Amino acid sequence: MNRFTAALATLSILAGPAAAQPATKARDTGEPAFRALYKELVETNTTFSAGDCTLAAQRMADRMEAAGFPKSDLHVFTPPGKPKDGGLVAVYPGRDPKAKAVLLLAHIDVVEAKREDWTRDPFTLVEEDGYFYGRGSFDDKAQAAIWTDLLIRYRREGYKPRRTLKVALTCGEEGGGQVNGAAWLAQNRRDLIDAGIALNEGAGGQLSPDGKPVVHTVLAGEKTFQNFVVEATNAGGHSSRPTPDNAIYDLARALDRISRYEFPLQLNDATRGFFAGMAKVVGGEEGAAMTRIVADPTDKTADAVLRKNPSYRAVMGTTCIPTLLEGGHASNALPQRARATVNCRIFPGEPAEAVREALVQAIGNPEVKVSFANPPRPPKSAPPLTPAVMKPIEAVSEEIWPKVPVIPILQAGGTDASHLNAVGIPTFGVSGIFVDPDLGRIHGLNERIRVKSLMDAREFSYRLVKLYADQKD
Protein backbone atom coordinates (compact mmCIF):
# COMPACT_ATOMS: atom_id res chain seq x y z
CA MET A 1 0.00 0.00 0.00
CA ASN A 2 1.54 3.35 -0.99
CA ARG A 3 1.44 6.41 1.24
CA PHE A 4 -1.38 8.05 -0.71
CA THR A 5 -3.56 4.93 -0.45
CA ALA A 6 -2.69 4.55 3.23
CA ALA A 7 -3.69 8.14 3.87
CA LEU A 8 -7.06 7.58 2.21
CA ALA A 9 -7.62 4.47 4.32
CA THR A 10 -6.86 6.44 7.48
CA LEU A 11 -9.33 9.15 6.49
CA SER A 12 -12.01 6.49 5.91
CA ILE A 13 -11.50 5.09 9.39
CA LEU A 14 -11.74 8.54 10.97
CA ALA A 15 -14.93 9.28 9.02
CA GLY A 16 -16.93 6.79 11.10
CA PRO A 17 -19.38 4.50 9.21
CA ALA A 18 -16.85 3.15 6.76
CA ALA A 19 -14.82 1.84 9.67
CA ALA A 20 -17.30 -0.99 10.06
CA GLN A 21 -16.49 -2.38 6.58
CA PRO A 22 -14.26 -5.48 6.53
CA ALA A 23 -10.76 -5.12 5.12
CA THR A 24 -10.39 -5.95 1.44
CA LYS A 25 -8.79 -9.36 0.96
CA ALA A 26 -5.54 -9.32 -0.98
CA ARG A 27 -5.89 -10.61 -4.53
CA ASP A 28 -4.78 -14.22 -4.84
CA THR A 29 -2.45 -14.30 -7.83
CA GLY A 30 -1.53 -17.97 -7.49
CA GLU A 31 2.18 -17.24 -7.07
CA PRO A 32 3.05 -20.55 -5.32
CA ALA A 33 1.57 -22.51 -8.25
CA PHE A 34 3.48 -20.34 -10.71
CA ARG A 35 6.73 -20.95 -8.85
CA ALA A 36 6.14 -24.69 -8.99
CA LEU A 37 5.40 -24.58 -12.72
CA TYR A 38 8.48 -22.45 -13.39
CA LYS A 39 10.68 -24.76 -11.32
CA GLU A 40 9.45 -27.85 -13.18
CA LEU A 41 10.08 -26.23 -16.54
CA VAL A 42 13.60 -25.02 -15.69
CA GLU A 43 14.52 -28.39 -14.19
CA THR A 44 13.39 -30.28 -17.30
CA ASN A 45 16.56 -30.50 -19.39
CA THR A 46 15.87 -29.31 -22.95
CA THR A 47 19.40 -29.08 -24.35
CA PHE A 48 20.08 -30.73 -27.70
CA SER A 49 22.68 -33.10 -26.26
CA ALA A 50 20.70 -34.61 -23.41
CA GLY A 51 17.32 -32.92 -23.20
CA ASP A 52 13.74 -33.49 -24.26
CA CYS A 53 11.55 -30.58 -25.36
CA THR A 54 8.58 -32.90 -25.86
CA LEU A 55 8.74 -33.94 -22.22
CA ALA A 56 8.77 -30.29 -21.12
CA ALA A 57 5.81 -29.52 -23.40
CA GLN A 58 3.87 -32.52 -22.09
CA ARG A 59 4.49 -31.47 -18.50
CA MET A 60 3.06 -28.03 -19.21
CA ALA A 61 0.08 -29.64 -20.98
CA ASP A 62 -0.50 -31.87 -17.94
CA ARG A 63 -0.59 -28.83 -15.68
CA MET A 64 -3.09 -27.12 -17.95
CA GLU A 65 -5.27 -30.21 -18.12
CA ALA A 66 -5.23 -30.42 -14.33
CA ALA A 67 -6.35 -26.78 -14.27
CA GLY A 68 -9.44 -27.63 -16.35
CA PHE A 69 -8.32 -27.28 -19.96
CA PRO A 70 -9.94 -29.93 -22.18
CA LYS A 71 -7.52 -32.17 -24.06
CA SER A 72 -9.03 -30.91 -27.32
CA ASP A 73 -7.49 -27.50 -26.62
CA LEU A 74 -4.03 -28.87 -25.81
CA HIS A 75 -1.98 -29.83 -28.87
CA VAL A 76 1.35 -31.49 -28.10
CA PHE A 77 3.13 -31.86 -31.45
CA THR A 78 6.36 -33.48 -32.64
CA PRO A 79 8.00 -32.91 -36.04
CA PRO A 80 8.22 -36.19 -38.01
CA GLY A 81 11.18 -38.30 -36.98
CA LYS A 82 12.12 -35.98 -34.10
CA PRO A 83 10.33 -37.34 -31.03
CA LYS A 84 12.22 -35.10 -28.58
CA ASP A 85 11.83 -31.85 -30.54
CA GLY A 86 8.15 -31.31 -29.79
CA GLY A 87 6.15 -28.45 -28.40
CA LEU A 88 2.73 -27.38 -27.22
CA VAL A 89 -0.01 -25.17 -28.61
CA ALA A 90 -2.69 -24.44 -26.03
CA VAL A 91 -5.92 -22.69 -27.03
CA TYR A 92 -8.18 -20.63 -24.76
CA PRO A 93 -11.31 -19.86 -26.82
CA GLY A 94 -12.64 -16.31 -26.93
CA ARG A 95 -16.20 -14.98 -27.02
CA ASP A 96 -16.01 -13.73 -30.60
CA PRO A 97 -15.02 -16.45 -33.10
CA LYS A 98 -14.60 -13.81 -35.83
CA ALA A 99 -12.02 -11.79 -33.89
CA LYS A 100 -8.39 -12.58 -34.68
CA ALA A 101 -6.55 -14.46 -31.96
CA VAL A 102 -3.64 -13.33 -29.81
CA LEU A 103 -0.66 -15.71 -29.95
CA LEU A 104 1.85 -15.95 -27.09
CA LEU A 105 5.13 -17.51 -28.25
CA ALA A 106 8.11 -18.77 -26.25
CA HIS A 107 10.82 -21.34 -26.87
CA ILE A 108 11.60 -24.05 -24.32
CA ASP A 109 14.94 -25.31 -25.63
CA VAL A 110 18.07 -23.98 -23.94
CA VAL A 111 21.77 -23.58 -24.65
CA GLU A 112 24.10 -26.33 -23.45
CA ALA A 113 25.38 -26.11 -19.85
CA LYS A 114 28.16 -28.18 -18.23
CA ARG A 115 27.82 -28.85 -14.51
CA GLU A 116 31.59 -28.67 -13.96
CA ASP A 117 31.66 -25.10 -15.24
CA TRP A 118 28.73 -23.77 -13.19
CA THR A 119 28.74 -22.68 -9.56
CA ARG A 120 25.39 -24.46 -9.11
CA ASP A 121 23.71 -27.35 -10.93
CA PRO A 122 22.37 -25.65 -14.08
CA PHE A 123 19.28 -27.88 -14.09
CA THR A 124 18.29 -27.28 -10.49
CA LEU A 125 16.46 -24.00 -9.92
CA VAL A 126 18.16 -22.16 -7.08
CA GLU A 127 16.81 -19.03 -5.38
CA GLU A 128 19.64 -17.08 -3.82
CA ASP A 129 20.24 -13.43 -2.90
CA GLY A 130 17.16 -12.23 -4.78
CA TYR A 131 17.90 -14.19 -7.98
CA PHE A 132 16.75 -17.40 -9.60
CA TYR A 133 19.71 -19.33 -11.04
CA GLY A 134 19.54 -22.05 -13.67
CA ARG A 135 19.90 -22.68 -17.39
CA GLY A 136 16.80 -21.21 -19.00
CA SER A 137 15.80 -19.35 -15.83
CA PHE A 138 15.69 -16.30 -18.09
CA ASP A 139 16.11 -17.40 -21.71
CA ASP A 140 13.37 -18.35 -22.42
CA LYS A 141 11.68 -20.47 -19.79
CA ALA A 142 10.78 -17.39 -17.78
CA GLN A 143 8.53 -16.26 -20.63
CA ALA A 144 7.27 -19.77 -21.34
CA ALA A 145 6.28 -20.20 -17.69
CA ILE A 146 4.57 -16.80 -17.64
CA TRP A 147 2.48 -17.58 -20.75
CA THR A 148 1.47 -21.03 -19.50
CA ASP A 149 0.60 -19.76 -16.03
CA LEU A 150 -1.29 -16.82 -17.52
CA LEU A 151 -3.85 -19.05 -19.26
CA ILE A 152 -4.23 -21.18 -16.13
CA ARG A 153 -4.80 -18.03 -14.10
CA TYR A 154 -7.41 -16.70 -16.52
CA ARG A 155 -9.31 -19.97 -16.45
CA ARG A 156 -9.19 -20.13 -12.66
CA GLU A 157 -10.63 -16.63 -12.46
CA GLY A 158 -13.34 -17.33 -15.04
CA TYR A 159 -12.07 -14.63 -17.41
CA LYS A 160 -13.75 -14.71 -20.84
CA PRO A 161 -11.64 -12.88 -23.43
CA ARG A 162 -13.16 -11.45 -26.58
CA ARG A 163 -10.34 -12.90 -28.68
CA THR A 164 -9.06 -16.45 -28.55
CA LEU A 165 -5.72 -16.74 -26.77
CA LYS A 166 -3.07 -19.22 -27.88
CA VAL A 167 0.19 -20.22 -26.24
CA ALA A 168 2.88 -21.83 -28.41
CA LEU A 169 5.85 -23.40 -26.61
CA THR A 170 8.39 -24.49 -29.21
CA CYS A 171 11.81 -26.09 -29.51
CA GLY A 172 14.87 -25.29 -31.61
CA GLU A 173 15.18 -21.51 -31.37
CA GLU A 174 18.70 -21.69 -30.00
CA GLY A 175 19.94 -23.51 -33.10
CA GLY A 176 21.58 -26.31 -31.18
CA GLY A 177 20.34 -29.01 -33.53
CA GLN A 178 16.64 -29.47 -32.79
CA VAL A 179 13.93 -28.83 -35.38
CA ASN A 180 12.75 -25.24 -35.06
CA GLY A 181 9.19 -25.65 -33.82
CA ALA A 182 8.06 -22.12 -34.67
CA ALA A 183 9.17 -22.57 -38.27
CA TRP A 184 7.60 -26.04 -38.39
CA LEU A 185 4.25 -24.71 -37.15
CA ALA A 186 4.36 -21.78 -39.57
CA GLN A 187 5.00 -24.13 -42.50
CA ASN A 188 2.85 -27.10 -41.49
CA ARG A 189 0.20 -25.95 -38.99
CA ARG A 190 -0.37 -22.32 -39.84
CA ASP A 191 -4.07 -22.80 -38.95
CA LEU A 192 -3.20 -23.84 -35.40
CA ILE A 193 -1.21 -20.67 -34.65
CA ASP A 194 -3.16 -18.23 -36.82
CA ALA A 195 -3.44 -14.87 -35.05
CA GLY A 196 -3.77 -11.14 -35.59
CA ILE A 197 -0.80 -10.41 -33.34
CA ALA A 198 1.86 -12.46 -31.56
CA LEU A 199 3.90 -11.56 -28.49
CA ASN A 200 7.36 -13.05 -28.11
CA GLU A 201 10.73 -12.65 -26.40
CA GLY A 202 13.54 -10.42 -27.67
CA ALA A 203 12.98 -7.28 -25.63
CA GLY A 204 12.38 -6.27 -22.05
CA GLY A 205 13.58 -3.83 -19.45
CA GLN A 206 17.06 -2.60 -18.68
CA LEU A 207 18.19 -2.06 -15.10
CA SER A 208 20.94 0.26 -13.92
CA PRO A 209 23.87 -1.26 -12.00
CA ASP A 210 22.02 -0.49 -8.75
CA GLY A 211 18.87 -2.25 -9.97
CA LYS A 212 16.69 0.68 -10.97
CA PRO A 213 14.54 0.47 -14.16
CA VAL A 214 15.99 2.64 -16.92
CA VAL A 215 14.10 1.82 -20.10
CA HIS A 216 11.47 -0.67 -21.24
CA THR A 217 11.96 -1.91 -24.80
CA VAL A 218 9.66 -3.44 -27.40
CA LEU A 219 11.08 -5.54 -30.23
CA ALA A 220 9.50 -4.10 -33.34
CA GLY A 221 11.52 -5.79 -36.06
CA GLU A 222 14.43 -8.12 -36.75
CA LYS A 223 17.26 -8.24 -39.21
CA THR A 224 17.57 -11.30 -41.44
CA PHE A 225 20.46 -13.74 -40.99
CA GLN A 226 22.22 -14.50 -44.29
CA ASN A 227 25.58 -16.11 -44.98
CA PHE A 228 27.54 -15.55 -48.20
CA VAL A 229 30.60 -17.36 -49.54
CA VAL A 230 33.31 -15.08 -50.91
CA GLU A 231 35.68 -17.21 -52.98
CA ALA A 232 38.82 -16.72 -55.03
CA THR A 233 40.21 -19.49 -57.27
CA ASN A 234 43.46 -19.98 -59.13
CA ALA A 235 45.33 -22.59 -61.16
CA GLY A 236 47.92 -22.77 -58.39
CA GLY A 237 51.36 -24.22 -58.83
CA HIS A 238 54.61 -24.81 -56.93
CA SER A 239 55.19 -22.46 -54.00
CA SER A 240 58.80 -21.89 -55.22
CA ARG A 241 57.41 -20.00 -58.22
CA PRO A 242 55.02 -17.39 -56.73
CA THR A 243 52.75 -15.32 -58.96
CA PRO A 244 50.95 -12.05 -58.16
CA ASP A 245 47.49 -13.52 -58.77
CA ASN A 246 47.46 -15.60 -55.58
CA ALA A 247 43.99 -16.76 -54.47
CA ILE A 248 44.72 -15.92 -50.83
CA TYR A 249 45.87 -12.43 -51.82
CA ASP A 250 42.71 -11.92 -53.86
CA LEU A 251 40.54 -13.03 -50.97
CA ALA A 252 42.46 -10.87 -48.47
CA ARG A 253 42.00 -7.80 -50.67
CA ALA A 254 38.31 -8.59 -51.09
CA LEU A 255 37.77 -8.86 -47.34
CA ASP A 256 39.69 -5.65 -46.75
CA ARG A 257 37.33 -3.84 -49.14
CA ILE A 258 34.32 -5.35 -47.38
CA SER A 259 35.72 -4.13 -44.05
CA ARG A 260 35.77 -0.57 -45.37
CA TYR A 261 32.31 -0.67 -46.93
CA GLU A 262 29.37 0.82 -45.01
CA PHE A 263 25.87 -0.04 -46.08
CA PRO A 264 23.66 3.04 -46.31
CA LEU A 265 21.67 4.24 -43.31
CA GLN A 266 18.14 2.84 -43.16
CA LEU A 267 15.39 3.82 -40.73
CA ASN A 268 12.00 2.28 -40.01
CA ASP A 269 9.38 2.62 -37.26
CA ALA A 270 11.53 0.67 -34.83
CA THR A 271 14.77 2.60 -35.29
CA ARG A 272 13.10 6.01 -35.51
CA GLY A 273 11.29 5.29 -32.29
CA PHE A 274 14.45 3.93 -30.71
CA PHE A 275 16.62 6.93 -31.52
CA ALA A 276 13.87 9.42 -30.67
CA GLY A 277 13.29 7.78 -27.29
CA MET A 278 16.89 6.99 -26.40
CA ALA A 279 18.03 10.55 -27.20
CA LYS A 280 16.39 11.66 -23.93
CA VAL A 281 17.91 8.79 -21.98
CA VAL A 282 21.45 8.99 -23.38
CA GLY A 283 21.88 12.76 -23.71
CA GLY A 284 25.19 14.38 -24.62
CA GLU A 285 26.73 14.13 -28.08
CA GLU A 286 25.14 10.77 -28.85
CA GLY A 287 21.70 11.94 -27.75
CA ALA A 288 21.96 15.04 -29.91
CA ALA A 289 23.06 12.89 -32.87
CA MET A 290 20.05 10.64 -32.38
CA THR A 291 17.69 13.61 -32.48
CA ARG A 292 19.35 14.95 -35.63
CA ILE A 293 19.38 11.61 -37.47
CA VAL A 294 15.64 11.17 -36.93
CA ALA A 295 14.99 14.69 -38.22
CA ASP A 296 17.41 14.39 -41.12
CA PRO A 297 18.68 10.92 -42.16
CA THR A 298 21.18 12.60 -44.53
CA ASP A 299 23.04 14.23 -41.60
CA LYS A 300 26.47 12.69 -42.14
CA THR A 301 27.95 14.12 -38.94
CA ALA A 302 25.24 12.57 -36.79
CA ASP A 303 25.58 9.32 -38.74
CA ALA A 304 29.32 9.20 -38.05
CA VAL A 305 28.85 9.85 -34.33
CA LEU A 306 26.33 7.04 -33.93
CA ARG A 307 28.27 4.48 -35.99
CA LYS A 308 31.14 4.69 -33.49
CA ASN A 309 28.92 2.77 -31.07
CA PRO A 310 28.67 -0.90 -32.20
CA SER A 311 25.19 -1.25 -30.69
CA TYR A 312 23.84 1.67 -32.70
CA ARG A 313 25.73 0.77 -35.86
CA ALA A 314 24.15 -2.69 -35.73
CA VAL A 315 20.65 -1.27 -36.27
CA MET A 316 21.41 1.55 -38.71
CA GLY A 317 21.34 -0.68 -41.78
CA THR A 318 22.63 -3.96 -43.12
CA THR A 319 25.96 -5.17 -41.73
CA CYS A 320 28.35 -7.83 -43.06
CA ILE A 321 31.38 -9.35 -41.39
CA PRO A 322 33.68 -12.29 -42.26
CA THR A 323 33.38 -15.09 -39.71
CA LEU A 324 35.17 -18.13 -41.22
CA LEU A 325 38.28 -18.56 -43.40
CA GLU A 326 39.56 -21.46 -45.47
CA GLY A 327 42.36 -21.50 -48.02
CA GLY A 328 45.04 -23.53 -49.74
CA HIS A 329 45.54 -27.27 -49.96
CA ALA A 330 49.23 -27.83 -49.19
CA SER A 331 52.01 -25.94 -47.43
CA ASN A 332 54.28 -26.16 -50.48
CA ALA A 333 51.75 -25.23 -53.17
CA LEU A 334 50.20 -22.04 -54.43
CA PRO A 335 46.58 -21.93 -53.22
CA GLN A 336 44.04 -23.04 -55.77
CA ARG A 337 41.14 -21.85 -53.65
CA ALA A 338 40.53 -19.44 -50.78
CA ARG A 339 37.14 -18.72 -49.34
CA ALA A 340 35.50 -16.87 -46.50
CA THR A 341 32.07 -17.02 -44.95
CA VAL A 342 30.65 -13.53 -44.64
CA ASN A 343 27.75 -13.24 -42.23
CA CYS A 344 25.27 -10.49 -42.98
CA ARG A 345 22.41 -9.16 -40.88
CA ILE A 346 20.05 -7.67 -43.42
CA PHE A 347 17.81 -4.72 -42.62
CA PRO A 348 14.08 -5.58 -42.75
CA GLY A 349 12.68 -5.35 -46.27
CA GLU A 350 16.01 -5.35 -48.12
CA PRO A 351 16.38 -8.21 -50.66
CA ALA A 352 19.28 -10.59 -50.04
CA GLU A 353 20.25 -10.33 -53.72
CA ALA A 354 20.73 -6.57 -53.32
CA VAL A 355 23.14 -7.25 -50.47
CA ARG A 356 25.05 -9.80 -52.57
CA GLU A 357 25.36 -7.27 -55.39
CA ALA A 358 26.59 -4.62 -52.95
CA LEU A 359 29.34 -6.98 -51.79
CA VAL A 360 30.33 -7.68 -55.42
CA GLN A 361 30.56 -3.94 -56.10
CA ALA A 362 32.54 -3.31 -52.92
CA ILE A 363 35.06 -6.04 -53.82
CA GLY A 364 35.44 -4.79 -57.36
CA ASN A 365 37.17 -7.92 -58.66
CA PRO A 366 35.26 -10.13 -61.11
CA GLU A 367 37.59 -13.03 -60.29
CA VAL A 368 36.24 -13.14 -56.73
CA LYS A 369 32.80 -14.74 -56.60
CA VAL A 370 30.08 -14.03 -54.04
CA SER A 371 27.39 -16.67 -53.61
CA PHE A 372 24.66 -17.59 -51.14
CA ALA A 373 25.77 -20.04 -48.46
CA ASN A 374 22.17 -20.74 -47.48
CA PRO A 375 18.95 -20.15 -49.42
CA PRO A 376 17.89 -16.52 -49.04
CA ARG A 377 14.59 -15.72 -47.37
CA PRO A 378 12.11 -13.45 -49.16
CA PRO A 379 12.48 -9.84 -47.97
CA LYS A 380 10.03 -9.00 -45.22
CA SER A 381 9.49 -5.56 -43.75
CA ALA A 382 9.00 -5.15 -40.01
CA PRO A 383 5.33 -5.07 -38.94
CA PRO A 384 4.05 -1.51 -38.43
CA LEU A 385 4.10 -0.03 -34.94
CA THR A 386 0.52 1.13 -34.72
CA PRO A 387 -1.19 2.72 -31.69
CA ALA A 388 -3.12 -0.55 -31.30
CA VAL A 389 0.21 -2.28 -30.68
CA MET A 390 1.97 0.33 -28.55
CA LYS A 391 -0.75 1.88 -26.40
CA PRO A 392 -1.53 -1.25 -24.35
CA ILE A 393 2.19 -1.73 -23.66
CA GLU A 394 2.67 1.91 -22.68
CA ALA A 395 -0.40 1.88 -20.43
CA VAL A 396 0.52 -1.22 -18.44
CA SER A 397 4.19 -0.29 -18.29
CA GLU A 398 3.27 3.08 -16.78
CA GLU A 399 1.15 1.33 -14.15
CA ILE A 400 4.00 -0.92 -13.02
CA TRP A 401 7.09 1.19 -13.79
CA PRO A 402 5.95 4.85 -13.72
CA LYS A 403 7.94 7.30 -15.84
CA VAL A 404 10.17 4.58 -17.33
CA PRO A 405 10.20 5.24 -21.09
CA VAL A 406 8.86 2.59 -23.47
CA ILE A 407 11.09 2.46 -26.55
CA PRO A 408 10.90 0.27 -29.67
CA ILE A 409 14.01 -1.53 -30.86
CA LEU A 410 15.22 -3.35 -33.94
CA GLN A 411 16.80 -6.69 -33.03
CA ALA A 412 20.18 -7.09 -34.73
CA GLY A 413 20.17 -10.75 -33.76
CA GLY A 414 17.17 -12.97 -34.24
CA THR A 415 14.28 -14.76 -32.55
CA ASP A 416 11.46 -16.99 -33.73
CA ALA A 417 9.51 -13.85 -34.63
CA SER A 418 11.03 -14.05 -38.10
CA HIS A 419 9.19 -17.31 -38.85
CA LEU A 420 5.83 -15.86 -37.84
CA ASN A 421 6.31 -12.53 -39.61
CA ALA A 422 7.19 -14.45 -42.76
CA VAL A 423 3.71 -16.03 -42.84
CA GLY A 424 1.83 -12.84 -42.05
CA ILE A 425 1.50 -13.00 -38.26
CA PRO A 426 2.81 -9.63 -36.97
CA THR A 427 5.05 -10.47 -34.03
CA PHE A 428 6.49 -8.18 -31.38
CA GLY A 429 8.89 -8.82 -28.52
CA VAL A 430 7.56 -7.60 -25.20
CA SER A 431 8.28 -9.46 -21.98
CA GLY A 432 8.35 -6.93 -19.17
CA ILE A 433 11.41 -8.76 -17.81
CA PHE A 434 13.95 -6.26 -16.50
CA VAL A 435 17.54 -7.52 -16.44
CA ASP A 436 20.86 -6.33 -15.08
CA PRO A 437 23.60 -4.90 -17.31
CA ASP A 438 24.96 -8.46 -17.60
CA LEU A 439 21.75 -9.39 -19.50
CA GLY A 440 21.03 -12.19 -17.06
CA ARG A 441 24.16 -14.02 -18.29
CA ILE A 442 22.09 -15.59 -21.05
CA HIS A 443 23.95 -18.32 -22.99
CA GLY A 444 26.73 -18.07 -20.40
CA LEU A 445 27.65 -19.43 -17.00
CA ASN A 446 25.34 -19.09 -14.03
CA GLU A 447 22.36 -17.71 -15.96
CA ARG A 448 20.03 -15.81 -13.66
CA ILE A 449 17.02 -13.53 -13.33
CA ARG A 450 15.93 -11.34 -10.45
CA VAL A 451 13.01 -12.82 -8.54
CA LYS A 452 11.33 -9.41 -8.48
CA SER A 453 11.85 -9.01 -12.22
CA LEU A 454 10.14 -12.33 -12.90
CA MET A 455 7.17 -11.58 -10.66
CA ASP A 456 6.76 -8.06 -12.04
CA ALA A 457 6.89 -9.43 -15.59
CA ARG A 458 4.25 -12.01 -14.70
CA GLU A 459 1.91 -9.26 -13.52
CA PHE A 460 2.76 -7.08 -16.53
CA SER A 461 1.89 -9.87 -18.98
CA TYR A 462 -1.29 -10.75 -17.08
CA ARG A 463 -2.59 -7.20 -17.48
CA LEU A 464 -1.22 -6.62 -20.98
CA VAL A 465 -2.68 -9.71 -22.63
CA LYS A 466 -6.13 -8.81 -21.30
CA LEU A 467 -5.93 -5.47 -23.12
CA TYR A 468 -5.06 -7.16 -26.40
CA ALA A 469 -7.61 -9.93 -25.83
CA ASP A 470 -10.47 -7.47 -25.38
CA GLN A 471 -9.27 -4.95 -27.96
CA LYS A 472 -11.72 -3.83 -30.65
CA ASP A 473 -10.84 -4.30 -34.31
Side-chain angles (χ1 to χ4, degrees), residues 2 68 76 148 183 186 194 214 233 244 255 260 307 312 328 345 415 445 473:
N2 61 40
V76 176
T148 306
D194 189 37
V214 176
T233 57
L255 295 180
R260 290 183 278 115
R307 286 186 191 266
Y312 303 151
R345 304 299 174 120
T415 72
L445 295 177
D473 292 324

Side-chain angles (χ1 to χ4, degrees), residues 267 271-273 275-276 289-297:
L267 296 176
T271 50
R272 287 190 195 92
F275 285 130
M290 290 175 179
T291 299
R292 297 204 313 273
I293 208 73
V294 172
D296 179 12

Side-chain angles (χ1 to χ4, degrees), residues 21 57 114 123 134 291 332 336 380 383 385 404 421 430 442:
Q21 299 296 321
K114 294 182 178 180
F123 299 105
T291 299
N332 60 350
Q336 296 171 3
K380 186 69 177 179
L385 269 183
V404 174
N421 281 321
V430 52
I442 58 173

